[in-house]
Amino acid sequence: IWRRGDTNKWYGILMVLSKRKLGLDSDDRVEVIDLHMEPEEIERVTDGRTYFPGYHMNKRHWCSICLDGSVPIEDIFQRIDESYRLAVK
């Protein structure tokens, strides 16, 4: 779990879970990162393959991203920065 030092709010979490928990038809395990995103952005990027509504978090404000190489690392870094920015009081 990553938290901002100034607000103590979460802005990211790494997890390993069954693909089935993301709505996929597989019990294989996958690494995911959950990040804050604007609701409109979550609607735009959710594709059921690489981006999912936030697992175990508020699905309106969090998005789960598969860390299987399908999303460029630069995109993930940019989304981490954005998540940090959104984690304010």
Side-chain angles (χ1 to χ4, degrees), residues 14-70:
L14 289 172
M15 297 178 281
V16 177
L17 47 96
S18 166
K19 288 182 177 182
R20 195 166 305 282
K21 294 197 184 246
L22 296 172
L24 300 173
D25 190 23
S26 173
D27 289 319
D28 291 345
R29 314 267 297 157
V30 64
E31 293 178 358
V32 299
I33 185 170
D34 272 16
L35 298 171
H36 268 284
M37 285 188 198
E38 295 285 355
E40 312 79 48
E41 183 67 3
I42 292 171
E43 286 181 29
R44 188 183 74 72
V45 299
T46 298
D47 61 9
R49 289 184 356 261
T50 56
Y51 286 85
F52 299 85
Y55 173 75
H56 198 61
M57 303 298 275
N58 180 319
K59 290 170 180 23
R60 179 166 160 74
H61 298 283
W62 287 80
C63 187
S64 294
I65 305 170
C66 283
L67 299 178
D68 59 1
S70 58

